[in-house]
Amino acid sequence: MRSLRTGLSLASLLSGLALLVSVPVASAADAPLRDLAAAKGKIIGTAVTGSKLTGTYGDLAGAQFNSLTPGNAMKWGSVEPTRGSYNWAEADQIVNFAEAHGQQVRGHTLVWHSQNPNWLANGTWTAAQLSQLMNDHIALEVGRYKGRLAAWDVVNEPFNEDGTYRQTLWYNGLGTGYIAQALTAARAADPAAKLYINDYNVEGVNAKSTALYNLVKSLKEQGVPIDGVGLQAHLIVGQVPSTLQQNIQRFADLGVDVAITELDIRMTLPSDSAKLTQQAADYKAVMNACVAVARCVGATVWGFTDSDSWIPSTFPGQGAATPYDENYAPKPAYHAIAEALGGTTTPPPTGACSAAYSVTSQWNTGFTGQVRISCSGAALSSWKVGWTYGVGQRVTQAWNATCTQSGTAVSCSNASYNGTVPDGGSVTFGFNGSWSGSNPVPVLTLE
């Protein structure tokens, strides 16, 4: 585009430029994640909250995933808050929803050091009493859903970071044998369900994952029923272990399945284009590692939307860890998962999202500018606009965006509150600038 000189009319100065940008979007023509996963013989699941399984949340949970994990509904503290008094309502709701939508259910979790009812956690038990309590709980819960659940996380988080056993109610009361006992009880209660040990920070080869490996090897040698290991994969952007696939393979070589059970990849807030791009690459790396190993059964994300994620309340200042934003718009991570499962990203219709730059006022050495980002036939969950100025133009102040300038190159990204541009909607940001010689309208790029 030719330069605009200072002698041109104000009308010319106010003219803007809209530039088409190719932004991945989920459209009706894209195959759901569950179909892509099924074509590869894999599971793509999500943890869910039963009370939310309506409206858009329920629609996406049912359409996109072929496996559900109750986030909290099957934990001991949820199902037996008072000894002998049971609440199966949410667990039943999730299982019924899954069956109605042709989905598997992964039971989570039977024996854990956390989220136990107060009467159990604060009780004083002999080894015999504790053993009986565990056996009875497993028989009751697994038996209730016999034949309806594909897998159970039987024992959850048995190890410390250094590979020693975690000091828990179960370990302290029953010793290391509690793990074999729990697995044996679960097999008796439902011979068809796959039985897993599940832990976090065991995704790469390290002391903790090696302890888990040695435990599984020992259990197999003893003939204890163990079908798989769950790698939780609560990860941080840019920190996917380089040994993930190697680690999955070594467990598979023991003759057990491997599942990515609680995948989320958190970032320091606010999110921006660079972080979301890295997050997408990380999700793809995890999925690629699973796809590459035949005995990796698939991956479950720990909540599919940022509005249902545990991260912000547990790690203050962090979040945006799931494949969908809080408004249910698919993020780059969603498309990365789809691509790892063999899908293709459908480009938006021509002219779907555009950015237009205008000069709204100008004086001797300064001006006020505005950029409007609009979408029709697509949606954005974040945005970044860049342009290159001619000599003498500089942004001095911006609002509704974070803008930086290096030389003549300007980059502006969304604020924490206006990253979402819905289909048919728009957002604007403004700035003050200085100029000398001329003030041409630049060509924009939108990410």
Side-chain angles (χ1 to χ4, degrees), residues 60-242:
L60 287 172
Q64 290 290 339
F65 302 97
N66 56 14
S67 177
L68 299 183
T69 300
N72 290 297
M74 289 185 175
K75 292 170 180 173
W76 201 329
S78 297
V79 300
E80 194 182 5
T82 302
R83 190 175 186 183
S85 178
Y86 300 94
N87 181 1
W88 303 104
E90 186 185 0
D92 286 351
Q93 178 189 16
I94 292 169
V95 174
N96 292 338
F97 180 96
E99 290 175 343
H101 290 82
Q103 298 166 305
Q104 296 184 6
V105 177
R106 181 181 192 88
H108 180 81
T109 178
L110 295 170
V111 179
W112 190 26
H113 66 272
S114 185
Q115 290 185 248
N116 288 315
N118 288 333
W119 65 265
L120 174 65
N122 298 328
T124 301
W125 314 104
T126 66
Q129 290 171 326
L130 198 59
S131 179
Q132 191 65 50
L133 283 167
M134 185 172 73
N135 285 345
D136 290 348
H137 172 69
I138 292 172
L140 179 66
E141 183 159 14
V142 177
R144 180 181 181 84
Y145 299 106
K146 180 180 180 180
R148 300 176 73 188
L149 267 61
W152 278 99
D153 291 325
V154 178
V155 175
N156 202 42
E157 302 173 2
F159 291 108
N160 295 314
E161 297 305 297
D162 63 0
T164 58
Y165 281 95
R166 186 191 292 270
Q167 303 289 307
T168 69
L169 172 71
W170 308 109
Y171 177 82
N172 293 339
L174 301 173
T176 59
Y178 85 89
I179 297 173
Q181 180 182 338
L183 290 162
T184 301
R187 175 66 88 233
D190 188 350
K194 298 290 187 181
L195 308 181
Y196 281 72
I197 300 174
N198 189 51
D199 215 327
Y200 66 92
N201 288 351
V202 292
E203 295 75 34
V205 176
N206 56 35
K208 192 174 186 180
S209 66
T210 297
L212 178 58
Y213 175 90
N214 290 334
L215 170 63
V216 172
K217 185 172 184 290
S218 174
L219 292 171
K220 292 281 289 184
E221 290 169 349
Q222 296 171 54
V224 175
I226 173 71
D227 300 305
V229 295
L231 314 181
Q232 292 185 13
H234 294 298
L235 303 174
I236 299 171
V237 162
Q239 297 183 29
V240 176
S242 60

